[in-house]
Amino acid sequence: MTRHAITESRRRSLGAIALLLAATPAFGQSAPATVVSLPELLQASPASDWRKLDPADTLYLELPTGRAIIELASAYAPRNAAAMRALVRESYFDGSFIVRAQDNYVVQWSRLEDDERAKQMTAKKLAPAFARPIAGAPAFTRLPYPDTYAAEVGFAAGFPAARERRRNETWLVHCYGMVGVGRDNAADSGNGSELYAVIGHSPRHLDRNITLVGRVVQGIELLSVLPRGAGPLGFYEKAAERTPISRARMASDVPPAERSELEALRTDSKTFRALVESRANRREEWFKEAAGRIGVCNVPLPVRKAQAPARP
Amino acid sequence: MTRHAITESRRRSLGAIALLLAATPAFGQSAPATVVSLPELLQASPASDWRKLDPADTLYLELPTGRAIIELASAYAPRNAAAMRALVRESYFDGSFIVRAQDNYVVQWSRLEDDERAKQMTAKKLAPAFARPIAGAPAFTRLPYPDTYAAEVGFAAGFPAARERRRNETWLVHCYGMVGVGRDNAADSGNGSELYAVIGHSPRHLDRNITLVGRVVQGIELLSVLPRGAGPLGFYEKAAERTPISRARMASDVPPAERSELEALRTDSKTFRALVESRANRREEWFKEAAGRIGVCNVPLPVRKAQAPARP
């Protein structure tokens, strides 16, 4: 027994990657028996398979332990993203708190209930974005494997998503790290002033019931390790247990020197298709039987520090 | 916006529960429009729908923050469970550590690599239990919903499981809280001296590739909040980051006064069927559209303090 337990351990040279990329135009086909690690695959990817995060859609949450970075899903929840952006610019979340951490479920943040600004938000309504029409939606990279909850699952604009053509609807799904707009019983009672992030097995029963507005693309581990609240639903019972959010800002409002410049792998790229194929068919020596398939919430969505452009 | 965000909020009287229990003999049927909360459902369940955990299959891990309790899956991994039991009785894990915490994946514990007893275990082989024959396996309560990874999924002996009749095989699946036997590349290199627990979205690609030996039935939140390791695969790089396990004991070796007496809802019981049905079809006012289905790793597996037997 060594530190290789529960992981791949055999890696091949980078030379095999071009072959893999070339040989996997679609999922479900038999693929070459090359073994390429995820880091190798990403390292070999062309710059054009990556997109820089839009600073206007990038939210920084400054926590005592560091910065958590959320990408907003403007193509799926434009009004909710805009409402959040406006709240952030009004410094609404500066001095807010993680008020809830429920194990295997969510962490949630907001201003405190007895706070004057929070009270003003209580009655504020906003049309939800549980789903949107397929027409006009970002390109959908479909997974050809069955899903428990939806007719079709895949990825769009970097987010895990689902769709149902009969209803002409597509929606984001509750995978690990997804961020949603907390609401009360009324569908329009979520207004962006209370947000949650998924920190456990994907609670897919929430899909189409609550507005997903983004994804934690860096720093989810700053949220997932927070002590669980002892109160009902994981709410903290003592003020001292709450983690303060000292500041929340849109990246576009942050001086360039203080920004975390990130880029995400395009989910409609060739590299992403190769990634899905290689994760559905694990060929590393450690694996004795590849699944031959992969769940939508098991596919990694790589994000990395933005690379310097190549010299002309 | 109130503290009811992201949850059920309307509850009905206990009177409705008997009706629900009576009216849901099987999944997939249209069900009555009663709303029964999970606590209410469990409270109304007969004592015969619960089973006391077998002290010989119950492992206590004593952590600085409390006791984590693992139920061993002797029906699925008898040799591996026996090996673990033997190691526990030899005090092998007293003075072991959580050596790894990888976000959205696993925590792992063992003695340290340079420890003499750990070195002695390195070459010890043990036949794995990736799957077992269906014949003779515990009763399988099947979920009638599609699963990405397996032909059939459900529950057996209190654990999430899958099966494939064509292969005459059944196996446990990697849901949140499941405990497995770390191994190196060789299938028989896992011997019970390195163990892991799932603390993120279910890594189902590990199914049938590694021996699952149990489930954390209480105290998973003591493991899931541990700071993530900064090294490769989430291994801690500094000794001080490791959480010590002061003591590991089988409940059967613990004086009764120090035991945590627990009982688990039988997964072949009527109450469990009602639970699955009510979680697949959320009728609480908060939900606007019930999924009508549920994933195997989204079904709660209730465990509670053992109830005093009713007076004769």
Side-chain angles (χ1 to χ4, degrees), chain A residues 57-121:
Chain A
D57 271 338
T58 306
L59 170 60
Y60 297 155
L61 292 186
E62 310 291 352
L63 300 163
T65 48
R67 176 180 284 179
I69 303 178
I70 295 167
E71 182 178 22
L72 299 185
S74 286
Y76 279 83
R79 286 182 302 267
N80 284 264
M84 272 178 64
R85 207 180 281 114
L87 286 171
V88 168
R89 290 197 166 147
E90 292 161 14
S91 304
Y92 185 84
F93 292 102
D94 299 2
S96 65
F97 293 86
I98 311 287
V99 295
R100 174 190 187 191
Q102 184 171 359
D103 197 63
N104 192 19
Y105 199 40
V106 297
V107 295
Q108 186 172 328
W109 60 97
S110 64
R111 295 186 73 93
L112 300 182
E113 280 188 302
D114 56 3
D115 174 285
E116 281 309 315
R117 293 182 70 182
K119 285 181 187 169
Q120 286 166 19
M121 290 300 292

XYZ file of all heavy atoms in Angstrom, chain A residues 57-121:
524
model
N -18.839 38.777 -15.290
C -19.586 37.612 -14.823
C -18.809 36.848 -13.749
O -19.110 35.683 -13.475
C -19.896 36.660 -15.994
C -21.215 37.014 -16.677
O -22.053 37.666 -16.026
O -21.384 36.628 -17.846
N -17.804 37.482 -13.189
C -16.957 36.799 -12.202
C -17.057 37.501 -10.856
O -16.818 38.707 -10.751
C -15.493 36.784 -12.675
O -15.430 36.218 -13.987
C -14.631 35.967 -11.729
N -17.437 36.721 -9.849
C -17.661 37.274 -8.511
C -16.598 36.747 -7.551
O -16.344 35.546 -7.509
C -19.060 36.851 -8.036
C -19.456 37.095 -6.588
C -19.398 38.582 -6.237
C -20.854 36.540 -6.324
N -15.979 37.657 -6.819
C -15.001 37.262 -5.795
C -15.653 37.372 -4.415
O -16.145 38.441 -4.052
C -13.786 38.197 -5.802
C -12.968 38.207 -7.065
C -12.207 39.323 -7.398
C -12.917 37.117 -7.927
C -11.428 39.360 -8.547
C -12.148 37.134 -9.079
C -11.408 38.258 -9.391
O -10.646 38.291 -10.527
N -15.623 36.289 -3.673
C -16.032 36.334 -2.267
C -14.767 36.262 -1.426
O -14.042 35.273 -1.494
C -16.912 35.141 -1.906
C -18.307 35.016 -2.503
C -19.026 33.824 -1.861
C -19.106 36.295 -2.308
N -14.510 37.299 -0.661
C -13.301 37.297 0.172
C -13.644 36.742 1.550
O -14.405 37.337 2.307
C -12.724 38.715 0.301
C -12.541 39.455 -1.015
C -11.433 38.873 -1.909
O -10.683 37.982 -1.452
O -11.344 39.312 -3.081
N -13.083 35.569 1.840
C -13.306 34.889 3.115
C -12.045 34.992 3.952
O -10.965 35.280 3.422
C -13.638 33.416 2.862
C -14.887 33.160 2.005
C -14.899 31.732 1.473
C -16.139 33.433 2.830
N -12.132 34.737 5.241
C -10.924 34.798 6.082
C -9.824 33.862 5.579
O -8.644 34.110 5.789
C -11.426 34.348 7.461
C -12.885 34.628 7.444
C -13.335 34.437 6.030
N -10.211 32.790 4.898
C -9.227 31.804 4.439
C -8.815 32.008 2.986
O -7.988 31.254 2.476
C -9.827 30.395 4.576
O -11.149 30.424 4.012
C -9.902 29.975 6.027
N -9.378 33.001 2.329
C -8.997 33.229 0.935
C -10.174 33.646 0.076
O -11.244 33.977 0.583
N -9.966 33.589 -1.208
C -10.950 34.074 -2.177
C -11.663 32.902 -2.856
O -11.015 32.029 -3.431
C -10.222 34.922 -3.225
C -11.077 35.427 -4.353
C -10.260 36.263 -5.351
N -9.970 37.602 -4.831
C -9.260 38.525 -5.497
N -8.753 38.238 -6.691
N -9.044 39.714 -4.973
N -12.969 32.918 -2.786
C -13.759 31.970 -3.576
C -14.260 32.719 -4.803
O -14.687 33.875 -4.707
C -14.928 31.427 -2.764
N -14.182 32.049 -5.952
C -14.514 32.717 -7.213
C -15.685 32.015 -7.885
O -15.670 30.798 -8.076
C -13.292 32.727 -8.151
C -12.113 33.404 -7.443
C -13.622 33.430 -9.464
C -10.827 33.427 -8.249
N -16.692 32.804 -8.203
C -17.923 32.277 -8.793
C -18.104 32.840 -10.193
O -17.994 34.055 -10.390
C -19.141 32.658 -7.908
C -19.024 31.975 -6.544
C -20.460 32.299 -8.601
C -19.977 32.520 -5.493
N -18.358 31.968 -11.151
C -18.712 32.446 -12.491
C -20.235 32.478 -12.607
O -20.915 31.486 -12.309
C -18.136 31.542 -13.591
C -18.491 32.089 -14.973
C -17.934 31.283 -16.135
O -17.625 30.102 -15.955
O -17.816 31.868 -17.237
N -20.761 33.605 -13.022
C -22.211 33.731 -13.163
C -22.668 33.181 -14.521
O -21.976 33.325 -15.524
C -22.638 35.189 -13.032
C -22.312 35.863 -11.694
C -22.912 37.269 -11.654
C -22.839 35.040 -10.530
N -23.847 32.582 -14.502
C -24.396 31.943 -15.701
C -25.403 32.891 -16.353
O -26.610 32.661 -16.331
C -25.048 30.620 -15.324
N -24.882 33.938 -16.951
C -25.763 34.961 -17.507
C -26.657 34.442 -18.622
O -27.750 34.956 -18.842
C -24.933 36.148 -18.016
O -24.465 36.897 -16.919
N -26.203 33.410 -19.335
C -27.012 32.891 -20.436
C -28.215 32.099 -19.926
O -29.170 31.873 -20.670
C -26.162 32.002 -21.341
N -28.159 31.676 -18.680
C -29.259 30.882 -18.129
C -30.124 31.651 -17.133
O -31.303 31.352 -16.980
C -28.723 29.598 -17.474
C -28.449 28.540 -18.494
C -27.256 28.526 -19.219
C -29.396 27.569 -18.783
C -27.027 27.573 -20.196
C -29.172 26.613 -19.754
C -27.985 26.618 -20.457
O -27.777 25.677 -21.423
N -29.518 32.590 -16.452
C -30.264 33.341 -15.436
C -29.870 34.813 -15.529
O -29.312 35.372 -14.586
C -29.967 32.769 -14.048
N -30.183 35.439 -16.655
C -29.695 36.812 -16.862
C -30.215 37.807 -15.823
O -29.436 38.633 -15.321
C -30.190 37.153 -18.276
C -31.267 36.159 -18.585
C -30.925 34.925 -17.817
N -31.489 37.724 -15.511
C -32.034 38.702 -14.556
C -31.504 38.454 -13.149
O -31.218 39.376 -12.400
C -33.561 38.646 -14.549
C -34.204 39.278 -15.775
C -35.719 39.231 -15.666
N -36.193 37.858 -15.518
C -36.574 37.082 -16.539
N -36.553 37.561 -17.769
N -36.985 35.859 -16.326
N -31.380 37.187 -12.790
C -30.857 36.886 -11.461
C -29.384 37.263 -11.356
O -28.938 37.779 -10.330
C -31.069 35.405 -11.132
C -32.515 35.110 -10.762
O -32.847 35.079 -9.589
N -33.380 34.925 -11.744
N -28.621 37.013 -12.420
C -27.218 37.405 -12.409
C -27.102 38.927 -12.301
O -26.266 39.455 -11.566
C -26.514 36.898 -13.665
N -27.963 39.622 -13.028
C -27.926 41.089 -12.984
C -28.290 41.607 -11.591
O -27.688 42.566 -11.083
C -28.883 41.661 -14.032
N -29.267 40.942 -10.957
C -29.664 41.360 -9.607
C -28.515 41.147 -8.623
O -28.236 41.990 -7.764
C -30.905 40.578 -9.167
N -27.829 40.018 -8.761
C -26.677 39.754 -7.897
C -25.583 40.778 -8.131
O -24.989 41.298 -7.189
C -26.114 38.360 -8.174
C -26.759 37.267 -7.370
S -26.045 35.670 -7.845
C -24.335 35.870 -7.344
N -25.315 41.039 -9.397
C -24.278 41.994 -9.750
C -24.597 43.368 -9.118
O -23.719 44.024 -8.557
C -24.211 42.104 -11.275
C -22.872 42.496 -11.825
C -22.917 42.584 -13.342
N -22.854 41.306 -14.029
C -23.828 40.770 -14.763
N -24.974 41.404 -14.941
N -23.652 39.607 -15.341
N -25.864 43.737 -9.202
C -26.260 45.033 -8.633
C -26.081 45.032 -7.118
O -25.568 46.001 -6.537
C -27.717 45.341 -9.002
N -26.470 43.936 -6.468
C -26.301 43.853 -5.008
C -24.821 43.922 -4.643
O -24.436 44.598 -3.689
C -26.922 42.557 -4.470
C -28.452 42.515 -4.414
C -28.932 41.102 -4.079
C -28.990 43.518 -3.387
N -24.004 43.223 -5.394
C -22.563 43.230 -5.123
C -22.030 44.663 -5.231
O -21.276 45.133 -4.373
C -21.821 42.293 -6.102
C -20.308 42.515 -6.040
C -22.163 40.839 -5.785
N -22.470 45.375 -6.260
C -21.973 46.742 -6.472
C -22.477 47.710 -5.417
O -21.852 48.746 -5.165
C -22.381 47.221 -7.865
C -21.588 46.469 -8.920
C -21.615 47.149 -10.252
N -20.588 46.572 -11.109
C -20.707 46.450 -12.424
N -21.781 46.890 -13.034
N -19.735 45.920 -13.129
N -23.604 47.353 -4.800
C -24.099 48.173 -3.680
C -23.469 47.713 -2.363
O -23.938 48.090 -1.297
C -25.624 48.042 -3.583
C -26.374 48.677 -4.748
C -27.813 48.142 -4.859
O -28.296 47.498 -3.899
O -28.427 48.355 -5.921
N -22.440 46.883 -2.450
C -21.739 46.355 -1.264
C -22.666 45.568 -0.341
O -22.431 45.475 0.860
C -21.075 47.495 -0.466
O -20.202 48.218 -1.293
N -23.704 45.001 -0.932
C -24.682 44.293 -0.103
C -24.059 43.127 0.663
O -24.425 42.847 1.803
C -25.831 43.755 -0.986
C -26.935 43.115 -0.180
C -27.948 43.896 0.381
C -26.954 41.742 0.051
C -28.945 43.321 1.146
C -27.951 41.155 0.816
C -28.942 41.947 1.359
O -29.926 41.371 2.131
N -23.106 42.448 0.037
C -22.544 41.251 0.681
C -21.306 41.549 1.536
O -20.771 40.643 2.172
C -22.217 40.185 -0.366
C -23.439 39.600 -1.016
C -23.827 39.990 -2.287
C -24.216 38.682 -0.335
C -24.959 39.459 -2.875
C -25.354 38.141 -0.917
C -25.729 38.536 -2.198
N -20.845 42.801 1.518
C -19.720 43.134 2.399
C -20.275 43.127 3.820
O -21.193 43.879 4.147
C -19.157 44.519 2.057
C -18.618 44.566 0.617
O -18.730 43.554 -0.091
O -18.108 45.617 0.225
N -19.722 42.252 4.635
C -20.283 42.116 5.975
C -21.415 41.107 6.040
O -22.144 41.062 7.024
N -21.552 40.304 5.001
C -22.510 39.191 5.092
C -21.795 37.993 5.714
O -20.593 38.058 6.026
C -23.071 38.853 3.710
O -22.046 38.361 2.865
N -22.509 36.913 5.896
C -21.951 35.752 6.594
C -22.380 34.445 5.930
O -23.453 34.375 5.334
C -22.450 35.699 8.043
C -21.960 36.815 8.904
C -22.646 38.026 8.936
C -20.821 36.667 9.683
C -22.198 39.065 9.740
C -20.367 37.699 10.491
C -21.058 38.909 10.513
N -21.535 33.437 6.087
C -22.010 32.078 5.846
C -22.882 31.756 7.055
O -22.384 31.679 8.178
C -20.863 31.053 5.759
C -19.751 31.535 4.818
C -21.406 29.687 5.354
C -20.063 31.493 3.361
N -24.171 31.610 6.818
C -25.112 31.426 7.933
C -25.532 29.978 8.095
O -26.168 29.614 9.078
C -26.382 32.298 7.737
C -26.012 33.775 7.802
C -27.088 31.960 6.429
N -25.150 29.154 7.136
C -25.636 27.777 7.133
C -24.611 26.872 6.466
O -24.036 27.236 5.438
C -26.939 27.722 6.326
C -27.508 26.353 6.094
C -28.648 26.425 5.068
N -29.309 25.138 4.954
C -30.186 24.821 4.002
N -30.514 25.713 3.096
N -30.735 23.630 3.967
N -24.380 25.707 7.042
C -23.570 24.675 6.401
C -24.191 23.332 6.781
O -24.103 22.896 7.931
C -22.110 24.735 6.850
N -24.845 22.726 5.810
C -25.517 21.445 6.054
C -24.721 20.354 5.359
O -24.477 20.425 4.155
C -26.955 21.510 5.513
C -27.762 20.257 5.814
C -29.242 20.422 5.473
O -29.660 21.483 5.023
N -30.015 19.371 5.672
N -24.332 19.350 6.114
C -23.456 18.332 5.554
C -24.105 17.630 4.367
O -25.299 17.344 4.359
C -23.075 17.288 6.613
C -21.865 16.481 6.159
O -20.792 17.087 5.981
O -22.004 15.266 5.934
N -23.278 17.351 3.370
C -23.726 16.657 2.161
C -24.856 17.405 1.464
O -25.734 16.801 0.859
C -24.163 15.219 2.490
C -24.368 14.371 1.236
O -23.872 14.700 0.162
N -25.103 13.279 1.372
N -24.840 18.737 1.557
C -25.915 19.497 0.926
C -25.420 20.875 0.472
O -24.889 20.969 -0.639
C -27.103 19.583 1.889
C -28.413 19.921 1.237
C -28.766 19.386 0.007
C -29.328 20.773 1.862
C -29.979 19.691 -0.592
C -30.545 21.081 1.276
C -30.869 20.532 0.042
O -32.070 20.832 -0.543
N -25.557 21.879 1.297
C -25.200 23.232 0.861
C -24.588 24.065 1.985
O -24.789 23.791 3.165
C -26.440 24.016 0.348
C -27.040 23.361 -0.891
C -27.480 24.178 1.455
N -23.824 25.086 1.579
C -23.544 26.228 2.450
C -24.344 27.392 1.872
O -24.601 27.455 0.673
C -22.045 26.615 2.516
C -21.233 25.514 3.158
C -21.500 26.968 1.151
N -24.733 28.305 2.747
C -25.593 29.402 2.322
C -25.093 30.691 2.953
O -24.641 30.682 4.103
C -27.029 29.089 2.761
C -28.088 30.060 2.264
C -29.507 29.562 2.579
O -29.767 28.357 2.603
N -30.404 30.488 2.829
N -25.153 31.799 2.209
C -24.689 33.059 2.769
C -25.677 34.186 2.497
O -26.400 34.159 1.498
C -23.288 33.424 2.302
C -23.082 33.605 0.827
C -23.090 34.781 0.142
C -22.795 32.578 -0.137
N -22.838 34.557 -1.181
C -22.647 33.217 -1.388
C -22.650 31.194 -0.064
C -22.368 32.520 -2.565
C -22.377 30.495 -1.238
C -22.231 31.153 -2.458
N -25.653 35.156 3.392
C -26.589 36.286 3.320
C -26.211 37.286 4.402
O -25.328 37.017 5.225
C -28.024 35.806 3.568
O -28.139 35.307 4.896
N -26.864 38.414 4.396
C -26.771 39.286 5.555
C -27.618 38.653 6.653
O -28.434 37.762 6.390
C -27.283 40.701 5.213
C -26.412 41.408 4.162
C -26.837 42.843 3.941
N -26.469 43.690 5.049
C -25.327 44.392 5.118
N -24.460 44.357 4.114
N -25.059 45.133 6.172
N -27.432 39.108 7.866
C -28.176 38.507 8.976
C -29.641 38.943 8.944
O -29.978 40.002 8.413
C -27.530 38.880 10.309
C -26.073 38.399 10.432
C -25.513 38.760 11.804
C -25.978 36.890 10.208
N -30.486 38.105 9.515
C -31.923 38.352 9.434
C -32.353 39.685 10.046
O -33.299 40.313 9.568
C -32.686 37.224 10.141
C -32.821 35.973 9.298
C -33.754 34.976 9.962
O -33.479 34.569 11.105
O -34.763 34.620 9.353
N -31.660 40.102 11.108
C -32.092 41.330 11.786
C -31.407 42.582 11.226
O -31.572 43.672 11.747
C -31.846 41.216 13.293
C -30.393 40.895 13.601
O -29.575 40.815 12.649
O -30.067 40.698 14.783
N -30.682 42.374 10.139
C -29.995 43.487 9.495
C -31.007 44.328 8.698
O -31.880 43.787 8.025
C -28.924 42.857 8.580
C -28.201 43.858 7.716
O -28.796 44.338 6.727
O -27.043 44.130 8.032
N -30.852 45.643 8.747
C -31.834 46.519 8.093
C -31.900 46.282 6.579
O -32.983 46.252 5.990
C -31.504 47.997 8.372
C -31.956 48.475 9.756
C -33.428 48.145 10.045
O -34.290 48.352 9.166
O -33.695 47.631 11.152
N -30.746 46.137 5.963
C -30.763 45.944 4.504
C -31.379 44.592 4.137
O -32.043 44.463 3.111
C -29.348 46.073 3.946
C -28.801 47.490 4.079
C -27.423 47.628 3.489
N -27.433 47.527 2.027
C -26.328 47.577 1.278
N -25.142 47.726 1.861
N -26.404 47.487 -0.027
N -31.128 43.590 4.988
C -31.737 42.281 4.735
C -33.256 42.389 4.831
O -33.989 41.816 4.007
C -31.201 41.248 5.727
N -33.715 43.136 5.811
C -35.176 43.287 5.972
C -35.791 43.950 4.746
O -36.889 43.589 4.314
C -35.487 44.119 7.223
C -35.280 43.360 8.531
C -35.636 44.242 9.726
C -35.266 43.550 11.031
N -35.345 44.482 12.181
N -35.068 44.913 4.194
C -35.591 45.601 3.000
C -35.702 44.647 1.811
O -36.520 44.846 0.925
C -34.682 46.779 2.624
C -34.815 47.969 3.565
C -33.693 48.971 3.380
O -33.014 48.974 2.353
N -33.475 49.810 4.380
N -34.855 43.629 1.801
C -34.876 42.692 0.679
C -35.975 41.644 0.820
O -36.326 40.966 -0.156
C -33.528 41.981 0.556
C -32.383 42.863 0.098
S -32.655 43.598 -1.547
C -32.580 42.134 -2.606
